[in-house]
Amino acid sequence: MRRASLLAVLVTAGLGLSLQAASARQQQQVYRIPVTGDIQNGLAPYVARALKEAQEAGADAAFLDIDTPGGRIDAAERISDAVRAAEIPVYAFVNPRAYSAGAMIALSTKGIYMKPGAVLGAATPVDGKGTKAPEKYVSAMRAEFRALAEQHGLDPRVAEKMVDESIDLPGIAPAGQLLTLSTNEALNLKYAKAEVADEAALLEAIGMKGAEVTEVSPNWAEKLVGFLTSPVVSPLLLSLGLLGLIFEIKAGAFGIGGLVSLASLGLFFGSSFLLGLAGWEVVLLLGLGALALALELFVLPGFGVAGVLGILSFTAAIVLALAGTTPSWNDVGQALAILGASLTISAAVFFAWIRHLPNSPRFRQLLLTEGHAAAEGYISAPTRMDLVGKEGVAVTDLRPSGTAVLGEERLDVVTEGEFIRQGTQVRVVRSEGYRHVVRAVA
């Protein structure tokens, strides 16, 4: 009897656990993916990862919580591709605005749900100055929006009107007026499925009332890459890279300037590679630029074709890394603006450094702070007539100045204008204070 009672208790307990597990499995799971602020390059890998996590977790659906003024078109295209390739339903919650690139992302989803007073549209591409891009880019964007509308059974003319104000839609928006839909207008045109006040209303509208909501946030790596590629940080990295390179060239040896330059440019180009903005063409341009500048510095005298080619190659690599693989007119304009800002910052810092140098205590220790006229009997250094005619070896390239070893002395020397390679035998022809003029020994 006791055994029967114990068996009944165990069966009841097991049945209770099974019912609880079944109840837990029956609770639907929805992933929330915030898409807020400017659409930048760092946002695309984050959305793609979040959707992949949702699929692997067996989620029933996901929704993009959108509040954006727009941003980069290439980043929006990558997000759109990830949404359309998702194996679970993905919805858009316009909360409360989806302009430009945000409208493209919203149209890529299975259905758009809008908050009261929300807006959707205003997607015409613009350049870096905010003016409308050429027809080539407008046509491409118009086709993107038309294709998205057709895919979801919506009126494609409405989507095109969000991009091109020249389209005439009688009763909706006349020619010359870019289309931006309010919540009520989007509902009337069937571009929005329903008006929802909050997340709970959205879940009920998509048939998942009471579902467990899991929010996915950007991880540290995505935040870091997004930070490094932002329009504020990119010019600073470029400026540090350029300034380090300038100081390194002036120093004539590898030191702190070189380390700063390598670190800054490494972060700049490395973050672009991680986001897929830079391809092998950027690597090729960087290699050609480095080779050309190395030839200019260590092989060819003066500054000529190799130096110009090196600078042009580096400039092209920077612009491509900033603009991305399929840049729009706005992306190219933004890349040129960032490059211009970097050059301006570098020039300003270098100019300030040159201006401050004479007032630096360390610099003043090396120079006389007061002038002494030659008429008063002062000379900068005694004339070394004992050096005239003496021969030695150039231990650096003379361009025209450099260093030579004469006997057991190591002296700063200068040529009469010609370039003399390192290791060449030289002879002192004049000694004028600190200025020792040499020629190559024939």
Side-chain angles (χ1 to χ4, degrees):
M1 191 70 176
R2 290 181 178 178
R3 290 182 180 179
S5 300
L6 180 61
L7 181 60
V9 170
L10 291 175
V11 170
T12 304
L15 182 59
L17 291 174
S18 299
L19 289 173
Q20 289 179 5
S23 176
R25 284 195 300 270
Q26 286 173 1
Q27 185 178 19
Q28 294 173 307
Q29 187 178 26
V30 177
Y31 270 60
R32 175 180 177 268
I33 306 170
V35 178
T36 58
D38 289 341
I39 306 296
Q40 296 296 338
N41 291 311
L43 191 63
Y46 151 64
V47 173
R49 176 184 64 83
L51 289 173
K52 184 178 179 182
E53 281 189 16
Q55 291 172 188
E56 292 176 348
D60 297 282
F63 70 92
L64 308 180
D65 195 340
I66 303 175
D67 181 15
T68 175
R72 292 186 64 112
I73 300 302
D74 56 349
E77 288 175 342
R78 293 171 65 188
I79 295 173
S80 174
D81 292 342
V83 168
R84 287 186 285 177
E87 298 175 2
I88 59 175
V90 182
Y91 302 94
F93 178 30
V94 181
N95 181 26
R97 59 190 62 84
Y99 291 120
S100 191
M104 175 188 288
I105 295 170
L107 284 172
S108 305
T109 63
K110 184 178 179 63
I112 300 174
Y113 296 83
M114 299 176 68
K115 198 171 186 177
V119 286
L120 170 75
T124 188
V126 295
D127 60 18
K129 297 180 180 179
T131 56
K132 185 178 178 180
E135 174 58 25
K136 174 182 177 181
Y137 298 97
V138 175
S139 176
M141 180 71 88
R142 194 166 56 227
E144 286 270 5
F145 271 62
R146 182 174 63 248
L148 289 172
E150 291 173 347
Q151 182 181 356
H152 295 95
L154 302 173
D155 185 350
R157 296 176 304 159
V158 174
E160 290 181 282
K161 183 64 174 172
M162 293 181 184
V163 177
D164 190 353
E165 73 276 7
S166 65
I167 296 173
D168 185 25
L169 283 182
I172 299 176
Q177 178 181 326
L178 196 64
L179 182 61
T180 302
L181 299 177
S182 67
T183 299
N184 289 334
E185 290 170 335
L187 287 170
N188 292 334
L189 294 171
K190 310 218 182 285
Y191 265 68
K193 298 285 187 181
E195 178 183 299
V196 292
D198 52 28
E199 183 180 285
L202 171 67
L203 294 177
E204 185 175 356
I206 62 176
M208 297 187 183
K209 183 178 180 180
E212 179 187 354
V213 177
T214 302
E215 180 175 330
V216 183
S217 300
N219 58 33
W220 68 268
E222 290 160 349
K223 289 179 180 178
L224 177 62
V225 173
F227 173 76
L228 294 176
T229 56
S230 68
V232 176
V233 178
S234 290
L236 296 179
L237 288 176
L238 274 179
S239 300
L240 286 173
L242 294 174
L243 287 170
L245 190 60
I246 291 172
F247 292 142
E248 192 70 10
I249 291 173
K250 288 184 68 65
F254 188 81
I256 295 178
L259 291 174
V260 170
S261 181
L262 285 176
S264 300
L265 294 178
L267 288 172
F268 173 79
F269 286 106
S271 57
S272 296
F273 275 106
L274 288 175
L275 288 178
L277 298 176
W280 289 108
E281 68 281 357
V282 174
V283 177
L284 179 61
L285 286 170
L286 285 175
L288 289 175
L291 179 61
L293 289 179
L295 287 173
E296 190 70 25
L297 289 173
F298 303 113
V299 179
L300 303 174
F303 186 81
V305 176
V308 173
L309 288 176
I311 291 173
L312 290 177
S313 295
F314 269 113
T315 302
I318 290 169
V319 172
L320 285 177
L322 287 168
T325 53
T326 55
S328 67
W329 185 261
N330 183 45
D331 298 333
V332 174
Q334 189 179 50
L336 292 175
I338 290 175
L339 179 59
S342 301
L343 293 175
T344 302
I345 293 171
S346 301
V349 172
F350 186 69
F351 179 73
W353 180 72
I354 293 295
R355 287 284 303 274
H356 174 72
L357 194 60
N359 298 321
S360 170
R362 184 172 294 180
F363 182 77
R364 291 167 66 182
Q365 289 175 0
L366 303 177
L367 300 175
L368 291 173
T369 57
E370 297 180 359
H372 299 279
E376 298 175 2
Y378 292 99
I379 57 175
S380 61
T383 301
R384 296 282 306 275
M385 295 305 298
D386 60 303
L387 293 178
V388 177
K390 198 168 185 178
E391 294 186 1
V393 179
V395 294
T396 66
D397 290 338
L398 307 183
R399 300 171 171 266
S401 61
T403 306
V405 173
L406 305 172
E408 296 182 356
E409 275 190 277
R410 185 184 180 96
L411 297 172
D412 292 329
V413 298
V414 63
T415 71
E416 294 175 308
E418 71 273 20
F419 169 75
I420 296 179
R421 295 183 184 279
Q422 176 185 2
T424 303
Q425 289 287 119
V426 295
R427 180 186 297 117
V428 179
V429 295
R430 290 196 306 279
S431 179
E432 304 166 346
Y434 284 115
R435 189 170 183 268
H436 310 302
V437 184
V438 299
R439 291 177 186 168
V441 176

